[in-house]
Amino acid sequence: MTHANTTTHPAGPVRRLRAVTTDQDQDRKEPYGPTLGDTATSPTALTPVAADAVPGTAVAGGGAGDVTGHPLPPSDYSNTAVVAGGATLTARADAPSGYSREWAELDRQGAAQVARARAWLPAVDPAVFDCYLGWLAQRIDPYTEGDPIGVLATLVSAAGVHLGPGPHLEPSFGERHPLLVWPILIGATGIGRKGTATNAAFTLFGAADPHFMANNKHTGLSSGEGLAAVFAVDSGARDGSPAGKSRLLPEGDCRLLAEEQEWAAVMARMKREGNTLGALLRQAWEGGNLSTLNVDARMAARSHLGIIAHITPKEFRGKVSAADLAGGTYNRFLPIAVAQSKESPPRHDVELMGHLAASLATRLDHAAQLHALTFTDDAQLYRRRLQLEFNGHLGGDGPVEEFISRAAANCVRIAAIYAALDRTDLITPRHLEAAAALVRYSIASARAVLGTDAEADRLRAFIAAAGPDGRTKTEITKKFHKDDATTDRYREALDELIESGRVSVTKRARADGRPGRGTEVYTTTPP
């Protein structure tokens, strides 16, 4: 089957990985969506991933929600190790002599490290994975340290871009919304495993459609003019001579998946005087006309841009301003808090990945042929409830409210992607439920990331109340310590207050007059 977006490609139809089995009923064994030739319109039941679905995998506590835990080493254990959350890892009695205890201790330490990394994350509703892409993310999960919700968000974005401008929503007369979703994965450096989650999803996508990943995935967003040039159809020079630069995308293809692992640098570029990237991004989210009317005017009537961005919580809070949020660029994004999900997973199952890639390729082919997606009657009612729910978060003028102001629109786009991959043009309540769970997680992620502002305000007020005498770190810890996660948040808030100049640090000599390290004292700086 020729992809709808590659019919004009000079190289002909895209070559994709095909089924690795001769079993004609293989497709019918997959969860979610009608089988080919079936007339059903609602997904089938999810096949849950049990702890023993992958040999040598146990379930361990994962901070704000249990995730697939540390895999057992190749020879298992001969001892039992207790890991985070009280879970136990029990091994076989025939583990190699002299190593089993060390394996168990390393596993205990690894599980504790993962639990600390995940302590700040919001809780995950299992409904998040109750969809075809969630099913894929769960099948990948045992083999990657990336957060499964980060894998899912990447798959959603990549799928929306891959489908092209054909499948779309028509919310009202004269409106056409593309199925574009822009996740911004927010996680700490190293332990966030943002790139690991994205790479796991991209590896599967690359096996399903290597041509797309080689030609339509790029990085380097810099300016509005540069972005418009990517989609420009007038590739030749004005005087009719050959163009000086080759076209970035395949001829006739308007799909661009931008992976930006250093989103903080892109944010810095957008702040430069005269930079029009922010304005063009707002248009691109609508699948709009990106034509420019400046001295280097270009005709770019069709665009289909997806963005997958990575940033740390500290970078985001430090670089995004209230004006940025109010401007409307960032409410197009879906904030997703992520962290390492496990330590030292086993090597991936090559045969399993081949089956998953072939399944994904088949569904992408079918979904790309769809046009306008609509709602079933029950889904229309559910959509109205969700719109009231998500709009109920709005009304304030805080940064979180600005960040999540397009939650309802993102929810519908995600649900439409789920429906399309279920090989139907009807969006059902189940599609909306899974999409809403992901959007609720994004709202909680925004609160977790931007909520430190409130903690910084409380901390600064506590320090200010002490006047010129200030507060010591011991006094601060006694005041705000509830658990390790809370302490970490206030420690981070204190660092930000110091970096922003709102709190200063001085050394107080020892009270006994003896030499040695004094006490650090924190005082507020007048505004």
Side-chain angles (χ1 to χ4, degrees):
M1 180 180 295
T2 302
H3 195 287
N5 294 311
T6 57
T7 54
T8 59
H9 195 287
V14 171
R15 296 189 301 273
R16 291 201 186 88
L17 182 66
R18 291 304 174 188
V20 294
T21 175
T22 59
D23 182 359
Q24 297 299 313
D25 293 326
Q26 174 65 32
D27 220 48
R28 295 180 180 272
K29 297 178 182 178
E30 297 172 10
Y32 301 101
T35 58
L36 292 179
D38 198 340
T39 57
T41 56
S42 61
T44 57
L46 169 69
T47 304
V49 181
D52 58 355
V54 178
T57 302
V59 174
D66 285 351
V67 296
T68 305
H70 188 290
L72 303 181
S75 301
D76 295 337
Y77 300 100
S78 63
N79 297 282
T80 297
V82 178
V83 297
T88 58
L89 298 173
T90 305
R92 298 189 330 220
D94 59 348
S97 176
Y99 289 97
S100 58
R101 290 185 180 276
E102 184 177 356
W103 273 113
E105 175 59 22
L106 290 173
D107 194 40
R108 184 193 66 78
Q109 294 178 15
Q113 184 180 73
V114 169
R116 286 193 300 271
R118 299 183 66 79
W120 74 284
L121 299 181
V124 180
D125 183 346
V128 162
F129 299 102
D130 195 6
C131 56
Y132 174 70
L133 292 180
W135 178 76
L136 290 180
Q138 286 188 312
R139 292 302 183 266
I140 295 172
D141 178 56
Y143 307 103
T144 176
E145 292 185 349
D147 198 314
I149 204 164
V151 175
L152 171 60
T154 302
L155 288 172
V156 169
S157 182
V161 175
H162 192 285
L163 296 181
H168 64 278
L169 292 159
E170 297 178 357
S172 61
F173 179 72
E175 286 190 301
R176 179 189 174 106
H177 288 191
L179 307 189
L180 295 173
V181 179
W182 296 356
I184 178 168
L185 304 190
I186 306 176
T189 301
I191 59 173
R193 297 295 196 273
K194 302 180 290 294
T196 303
T198 295
N199 289 340
F202 281 170
T203 298
L204 180 61
F205 243 89
D209 189 348
H211 182 277
F212 173 80
M213 296 302 290
N215 294 281
N216 296 77
K217 183 179 77 70
H218 299 280
T219 187
L221 290 174
S222 181
S223 67
E225 292 76 15
L227 179 60
V230 172
F231 300 101
V233 295
D234 52 338
S235 56
R238 295 299 175 190
D239 58 4
S241 60
K245 294 182 179 179
S246 60
R247 180 176 166 83
L248 183 67
L249 297 174
E251 195 65 37
D253 196 337
C254 65
R255 300 171 299 160
L256 172 62
L257 179 60
E259 179 193 11
E260 299 294 341
Q261 295 201 9
E262 297 296 335
W263 188 251
V266 179
M267 294 173 74
R269 293 184 203 118
M270 286 194 289
K271 288 180 178 289
R272 295 173 184 166
E273 185 176 356
N275 190 294
T276 60
L277 180 59
L280 265 289
L281 289 180
R282 292 192 289 275
Q283 292 175 233
W285 191 78
E286 306 288 350
N289 188 329
L290 304 187
S291 301
T292 58
L293 297 177
N294 55 16
V295 66
D296 295 318
R298 290 180 179 274
M299 178 64 68
R302 296 171 71 243
S303 67
H304 196 72
L305 169 68
I307 300 173
I308 299 170
H310 296 175
I311 198 169
T312 68
K314 189 173 182 179
E315 284 175 332
F316 187 83
R317 287 191 295 267
K319 291 187 178 295
V320 70
S321 66
D324 294 327
L325 290 169
T329 299
Y330 289 103
N331 62 25
R332 268 80 171 173
F333 285 85
L334 195 73
I336 300 293
V338 296
Q340 180 181 1
S341 64
K342 64 189 69 63
E343 189 260 343
S344 298
R347 179 177 170 77
H348 67 274
D349 184 325
V350 175
E351 183 178 3
L352 172 63
M353 294 306 159
H355 280 297
L356 297 180
S359 164
L360 178 59
T362 299
R363 294 199 181 217
L364 289 170
D365 270 338
H366 190 278
Q369 313 307 316
L370 299 175
H371 299 288
L373 283 85
T374 57
F375 298 87
T376 64
D377 290 343
D378 288 343
Q380 191 68 265
L381 181 64
Y382 192 19
R383 183 190 68 84
R384 292 190 64 187
R385 291 198 201 105
L386 290 174
Q387 189 161 3
L388 290 172
E389 174 192 335
F390 293 137
N391 288 346
H393 291 284
L394 310 180
D397 57 358
V400 173
E401 286 75 14
E402 295 284 0
F403 204 176
I404 65 175
S405 61
R406 293 183 185 267
N410 269 317
C411 180
V412 173
R413 290 185 178 203
I414 295 168
I417 292 171
Y418 291 167
L421 291 174
D422 279 351
R423 297 179 288 233
T424 175
D425 58 4
L426 289 177
I427 302 170
T428 69
R430 187 169 185 181
H431 298 133
L432 284 168
E433 183 177 6
L438 183 58
V439 170
R440 291 187 189 107
Y441 183 83
S442 78
I443 293 172
S445 296
R447 296 195 188 284
V449 172
L450 297 174
T452 305
D453 290 343
E455 289 156 353
D457 290 342
R458 286 194 290 271
L459 181 55
R460 189 176 188 279
F462 176 68
I463 295 172
D469 292 335
R471 303 281 191 185
T472 65
K473 185 167 288 188
T474 300
E475 291 172 329
I476 292 172
T477 301
K478 286 181 178 179
K479 172 68 175 178
F480 295 104
H481 176 74
K482 293 181 181 178
D483 51 49
D484 289 343
T486 305
T487 300
D488 288 344
R489 288 199 302 271
Y490 276 99
R491 185 180 295 117
E492 188 172 332
L494 181 60
D495 289 342
E496 291 183 9
L497 287 171
I498 295 170
E499 288 183 12
S500 64
R502 290 180 287 171
V503 166
S504 58
V505 188
T506 57
K507 285 281 189 179
R508 179 186 295 165
R510 291 172 52 127
D512 57 12
R514 298 175 61 184
R517 293 181 59 184
T519 302
E520 287 187 344
V521 178
Y522 301 88
T523 55
T524 55
T525 304

